[in-house]
């Protein structure tokens, strides 16, 4: 369906978005029918990926502090729709143990290697590459479905934050096969726990070991990639006082930290060495590959003794004040402001240090702060925009296909697991306000508002549920309409159909800023 006045309306919305780039927060009046103030709704929009009726109902029932406590304890009432749970559990990537996925890949690669050169070998090579791509898309869909329908919206945002903070690049090596395991068994279980445990979980994850090459780090063949990024991007930050010598020493400490063979053949270790082997699933510390010399790291003597060196080094890192400051600022930039208030970051860092890196406690300090609501409006990153638009438009109604969300993030330049460099996607809204970005957002808003998507068409099916979402719902009138800007009201007044009205609302600055 062609939207009437499409070009002029798009221009109006884009100019409005650009003009509002530094718009201050609007406290607004109490939303009719909800008993919620503008501050309440701003808090909710920062707390989750976007509003839906269930969020508002939980907030009214539990209150701000009650909801925050329930989220941080991961005991939020409610659950994902059974249809969505079924979608996630139906993916091979999420329901197949990682050893089997990698074992099957190994077998396929060995079969291809044994084939003579020719069309059949080329086709077999292509087949397992396509299988990896399918697993990658399934892992992306599973995470976006969790983000859109998970009842603990704060946790869902934190999971995305850590996936981005400890970023891995899907197309490299076997990582496509490992993504779902990385999200399900590495990031998600530790998202609200202690930061040290999260660092150790990522350190032992196959996806991280392969992405930053520590699987190749061995005595006599030292690779510094992971050691450098562990300090620069994951824990301490640039300019925090560590030196190149610290990087080199940490790389030596990390020698032998790698991956067990997936070929099914049993490994044999000398009886004197066997007690030093550490293995969790396919993670393995192999003492044969480790440099057992003594090291000096961050000014501390570390005796060469095996995997305990790694544990000691991580303890030294996460207990430095620079780690508390760095992680706190990253969290505040994601949730509060592009340039978060130093006083807030300082209080968060203090909580981090006093609680031994308790992530939930740091988040409580941030969400209980006055700065959360007083720091101005922040432009949404692509993931927030896409997920919040789907949450508002369908308000808990289960979709049948999350691939459109995956493709929209591709178009907006923020594909999940798609950042080739290990620094993760930019957290600040200012990085996402280019004119090309805004025009694509308008197109995506039109796709959702017009109903011309495949969201309700199961992959492979040709039948599609007809119709378009009705955004002028009670949720809209209760939680959005009372706080709309004059510019947004003017744009909506020019809509010539419900579909066009939907588009203007989703593309408006009011819903692109939070």
């Amino acid at each position: 369906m062609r939207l009437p006045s499409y070009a002029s309306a798009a221009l109006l919305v884009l100019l409005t978005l650009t003009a509002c780039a530094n718009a201050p927060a609007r406290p607004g009046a109490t939303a009719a029918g909800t008993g919620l103030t503008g501050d309440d709704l701003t808090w909710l929009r920062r707390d989750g990926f976007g509003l839906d009726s269930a969020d508002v109902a939980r907030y009214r029932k539990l209150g701000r502090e009650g909801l925050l406590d329930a989220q941080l304890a991961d005991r939020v009432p409610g659950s994902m729709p059974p249809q969505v749970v079924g979608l996630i559990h139906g993916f091979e990537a999420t329901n197949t143990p990682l050893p089997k996925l990698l074992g099957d890949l190994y077998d396929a690669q060995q079969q291809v290697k044994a084939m003579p050169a020719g069309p059949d070998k080329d086709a077999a090579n292509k087949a397992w590459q396509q299988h990896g791509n399918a697993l990658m898309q399934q892992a992306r869909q599973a995470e976006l479905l969790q983000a859109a329908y998970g009842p603990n919206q704060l946790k869902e945002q934190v999971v995305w934050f850590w996936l981005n903070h400890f970023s891995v690049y899907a197309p490299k090596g076997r990582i496509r096969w490992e993504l779902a395991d990385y999200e399900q068994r590495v990031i998600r279980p530790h998202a609200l726990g202690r930061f040290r445990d999260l660092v150790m979980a990522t350190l032992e994850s196959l996806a991280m070991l392969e992405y930053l090459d520590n699987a190749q780090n061995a005595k006599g063949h030292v690779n510094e990639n992971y050691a450098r990024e562990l300090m620069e991007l994951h824990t301490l930050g640039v300019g925090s006082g560590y030196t190149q010598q610290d990087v080199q020493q940490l790389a030596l400490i990390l020698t032998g930290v790698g991956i067990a063979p997936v070929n099914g053949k049993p490994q044999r270790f000398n009886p004197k060495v066997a007690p030093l082997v550490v293995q969790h699933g396919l993670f393995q510390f192999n003492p044969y590959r480790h440099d057992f010399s003594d090291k000096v790291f961050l000014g501390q003597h570390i005796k060469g003794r095996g995997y305990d060196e790694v544990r000691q080094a991580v303890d030294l890192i996460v207990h430095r004040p620079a780690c508390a400051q760095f992680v706190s600022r990253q969290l505040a930039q994601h949730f509060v402001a592009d340039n978060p208030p130093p006083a807030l970051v300082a209080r968060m860092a203090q909580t981090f240090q006093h609680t031994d890196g308790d992530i939930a406690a740091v988040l409580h300090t941030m969400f209980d702060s006055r700065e959360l609501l007083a720091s101005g409006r922040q432009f949404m990153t692509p993931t927030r925009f896409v997920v919040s638009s789907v949450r508002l438009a369908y308000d808990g109604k289960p979709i049948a296909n999350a691939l459109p969300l995956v493709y929209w993030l591709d178009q907006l330049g923020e594909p999940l697991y798609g950042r080739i460099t290990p620094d993760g996607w930019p957290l600040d809204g200012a990085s996402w306000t280019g004119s090309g970005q805004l025009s694509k957002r308008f197109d995506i808003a039109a796709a959702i508002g017009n109903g011309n998507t495949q969201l309700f068409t199961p992959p492979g099916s040709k039948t599609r549920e007809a119709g378009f979402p009705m955004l002028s719902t009670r949720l809209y009138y209760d939680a959005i309409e009372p706080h709309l800007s004059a510019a947004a009201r003017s744009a909506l007044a020019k809509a010539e159909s419900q579909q066009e009205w939907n588009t203007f609302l989703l593309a408006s600055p009011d819903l692109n800023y939070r």
Side-chain angles (χ1 to χ4, degrees), residues 137-213:
Q137 297 295 57
Q138 290 175 9
R140 286 172 167 169
Q141 290 179 76
E143 166 55 19
L144 289 170
L145 285 166
Q146 292 266 14
Y149 292 96
N152 189 344
Q153 278 291 292
L154 176 55
K155 181 177 181 178
E156 294 307 328
Q157 276 213 84
V158 176
V159 167
W160 183 93
F161 172 85
W162 293 128
L163 284 171
N164 191 60
H165 185 84
F166 296 98
S167 178
V168 297
Y169 181 56
K172 182 175 180 177
R174 303 183 300 183
I175 294 176
R176 287 169 291 173
W177 281 260
E178 299 160 351
L179 292 173
D181 181 86
Y182 186 62
E183 190 274 345
Q184 288 180 321
R185 296 178 179 84
V186 176
I187 298 296
R188 185 169 288 275
H190 299 94
L192 297 172
R194 295 200 180 276
F195 185 68
R196 181 196 182 280
D197 296 337
L198 177 58
V199 172
M200 288 299 298
T202 58
L203 184 150
E204 295 183 354
S205 70
L206 273 62
M208 185 63 71
L209 289 169
E210 296 205 60
Y211 175 49
L212 292 180
D213 303 315

Side-chain angles (χ1 to χ4, degrees), residues 230-438:
L230 174 58
M231 289 194 286
E232 179 178 324
L233 298 177
H234 296 172
T235 56
L236 298 177
V238 178
S240 55
Y242 67 86
T243 66
Q244 176 58 25
Q245 184 179 1
D246 289 321
V247 173
Q248 294 167 349
Q249 293 289 285
L250 182 56
L252 291 177
I253 291 168
L254 290 166
T255 51
V257 173
I259 300 171
V262 297
N263 57 16
K265 297 179 181 178
Q267 287 179 279
R268 292 182 174 84
F269 292 94
N270 184 298
K272 292 183 179 180
V273 170
L276 296 174
V277 176
V278 176
Q279 187 156 340
H280 308 136
L282 289 175
F283 164 78
Q284 183 184 81
F285 172 75
N286 186 335
Y288 287 141
R289 296 167 58 83
H290 182 65
D291 185 318
F292 277 89
S293 65
D294 290 355
K295 293 93 175 173
V296 177
F297 176 61
L298 297 177
Q300 299 293 315
H301 178 81
I302 294 183
K303 182 175 176 55
R305 63 196 189 281
Y307 196 59
D308 281 343
E309 298 172 47
V310 177
R311 298 187 179 103
Q312 183 181 351
V314 170
D315 281 339
L316 289 173
I317 291 170
V318 301
H319 287 106
R320 287 174 77 87
C323 181
Q325 177 76 17
F326 178 69
V327 173
S328 296
R329 191 184 189 283
Q330 293 283 99
L331 283 165
Q333 186 177 45
H334 178 68
F335 282 99
V336 180
D338 289 358
N339 295 296
L344 172 61
V345 174
R347 295 200 307 277
M348 292 168 64
Q350 186 178 45
T351 299
F352 187 104
Q353 291 181 276
H354 287 173
T355 62
D356 195 21
D358 186 328
I359 297 167
V362 175
L363 290 169
H364 192 284
T365 296
M366 180 177 64
F367 271 92
D368 202 32
S369 72
R370 61 186 181 278
E371 291 94 337
L372 184 77
L373 302 177
S375 297
R377 306 185 71 202
Q378 188 179 38
F379 191 69
M380 286 190 176
T381 60
T383 300
R384 278 178 168 151
F385 166 71
V386 168
V387 175
S388 66
S389 296
V390 169
R391 283 174 60 77
L392 177 64
Y394 299 107
D395 199 16
K397 179 180 180 181
I399 61 175
N401 182 2
L403 277 172
L405 280 70
V406 172
Y407 298 148
W408 290 334
L409 288 179
D410 288 345
Q411 293 169 29
L412 292 171
E414 197 187 38
L416 188 60
Y417 311 118
R419 178 76 163 180
I420 192 169
T421 53
D423 52 348
W425 296 113
L427 297 173
D428 63 301
S431 294
W432 302 102
T433 54
S435 59
Q437 172 81 199
L438 299 181

